């Protein structure tokens, strides 16, 4: 698919979402928003060709380079959602198992409250290659990316956060399914790697920007066509 066609599809999907929001009956609950949360380098890379550019790097026994305020913010992020949307590789490569082990390793550490929140949240894996979930509080959605995500948004609740690799994140973005982007901007340049966005770009509106002592900046955006 050409970049132009991909952008037309993204614009069409975003416009359809906007129409659904505007056409909600009076008193009806608004559609849940999908937030894509990712680490990003200062030169806009979300996947680098080498390791070591992220401040998110610890083995649950070593130091964690985030400052206290940033850890608190990250924990609070999960309070405003009631569902996690995961890619198949993210689930199969150990996301849920990893945080389960971390929660057990830090049962009384408030910095790791998010691990217990992850375990308690409903988790939805978008995949047509997995038939049955192998993890607790997890279900498989295999009806196609746009169909499944829009169905999740239409359900009542607080909100959704997506975790996945650059391929999955790019597909969500190209399909116009992301309502908010939350980038944890690391104080490092990757130099080379993959970008989340298509080569012809995407116009965004800044919702919030906060710098932290550790050097991280958290920026929140929405697609400009969402108004």
């Amino acid at each position: 698919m050409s970049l132009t066609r991909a952008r037309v599809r993204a614009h069409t999907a975003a416009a359809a979402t906007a129409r659904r929001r505007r056409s909600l009956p009076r008193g009806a609950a608004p559609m849940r928003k999908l937030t894509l949360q990712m680490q990003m380098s200062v030169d806009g890379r979300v996947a680098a060709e080498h390791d070591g550019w992220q401040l998110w790097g610890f083995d649950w026994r070593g130091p964690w380079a985030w400052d206290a305020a940033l850890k608190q913010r990250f924990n609070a992020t999960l309070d405003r959602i009631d569902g996690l949307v995961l890619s198949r590789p993210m689930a199969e490569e150990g996301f849920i198992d990893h945080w389960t082990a971390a929660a057990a390793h830090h049962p009384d550490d408030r910095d790791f409250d998010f691990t217990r929140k992850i375990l308690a949240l409903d988790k939805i894996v978008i995949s047509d290659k997995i038939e049955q979930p192998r993890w607790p509080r997890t279900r498989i959605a295999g009806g196609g990316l746009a169909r499944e995500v829009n169905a999740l948004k239409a359900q009542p609740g607080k909100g959704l956060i997506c975790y996945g690799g650059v391929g999955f994140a790019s597909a969500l973005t190209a399909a116009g399914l992301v309502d908010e982007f939350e980038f944890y901007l690391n104080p490092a340049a990757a130099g080379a790697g993959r970008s989340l966005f298509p080569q012809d770009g995407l116009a965004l509106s800044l919702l919030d920007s906060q710098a932290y002592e550790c050097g991280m900046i958290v920026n929140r955006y929405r697609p400009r066509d969402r108004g």
Side-chain angles (χ1 to χ4, degrees):
M1 181 185 297
S2 70
L3 290 174
T4 300
R5 288 179 61 194
R7 191 163 188 175
V8 168
R9 287 185 61 183
H11 177 77
T12 301
T17 298
R19 286 196 298 271
R20 285 194 296 272
R21 291 186 187 278
R22 290 194 298 267
S23 62
L24 286 171
R26 184 180 297 276
M31 292 182 66
R32 292 194 290 182
K33 291 183 178 180
L34 177 68
T35 298
L36 176 62
Q37 187 184 87
M38 297 192 79
Q39 302 275 324
M40 180 178 282
S41 65
V42 294
D43 51 349
R45 306 300 178 181
V46 294
E49 295 183 359
H50 58 83
D51 295 328
W53 63 275
Q54 292 189 20
L55 292 188
W56 180 275
F58 53 99
D59 62 2
W60 309 117
R61 290 173 294 276
W64 184 4
W66 291 14
D67 60 73
L70 183 56
K71 293 176 184 179
Q72 184 178 16
R73 176 187 178 130
F74 184 71
N75 272 289
T77 296
L78 297 182
D79 291 332
R80 69 174 191 255
I81 66 165
D82 48 17
L84 291 178
V85 180
L86 305 174
S87 66
R88 176 187 58 80
M90 181 68 73
E92 290 192 325
E93 291 172 10
F95 177 91
I96 300 170
D97 294 335
H98 182 78
W99 295 124
T100 300
H105 192 77
H106 298 276
D108 302 315
D109 192 333
R110 295 297 301 274
D111 286 344
F112 289 84
D113 280 350
F114 72 91
T115 61
R116 289 172 283 279
K117 294 175 184 178
I118 286 174
L119 300 185
L121 285 167
D122 291 331
K123 290 166 282 290
I124 305 94
V125 179
I126 308 295
S127 175
D128 58 2
K129 297 181 179 180
I130 304 176
E131 293 184 359
Q132 296 294 329
R134 303 191 294 273
W135 312 276
R137 295 192 66 89
T138 303
R139 69 178 181 85
I140 307 301
L145 184 65
R147 175 182 173 184
E148 295 291 358
V149 171
N150 281 322
L152 289 171
K153 288 185 180 186
Q155 295 173 7
K158 295 192 292 186
L160 303 160
I161 279 184
C162 168
Y163 295 128
V166 63
F168 184 62
S170 296
L172 288 168
T173 303
L177 297 170
V178 179
D179 299 296
E180 290 188 8
F181 298 91
E182 186 170 60
F183 296 129
Y184 281 60
L185 192 65
N186 284 256
R194 297 179 65 184
S195 171
L196 169 67
F197 299 107
Q199 293 182 7
D200 53 353
L202 178 66
L204 302 173
S205 296
L206 181 66
L207 300 175
D208 178 62
S209 181
Q210 180 68 49
Y212 293 88
E213 289 183 2
C214 64
M216 192 85 80
I217 299 173
V218 181
N219 291 333
R220 288 176 53 240
Y221 301 90
R222 69 171 172 233
R224 192 173 296 171
D225 59 9
R226 302 296 168 92

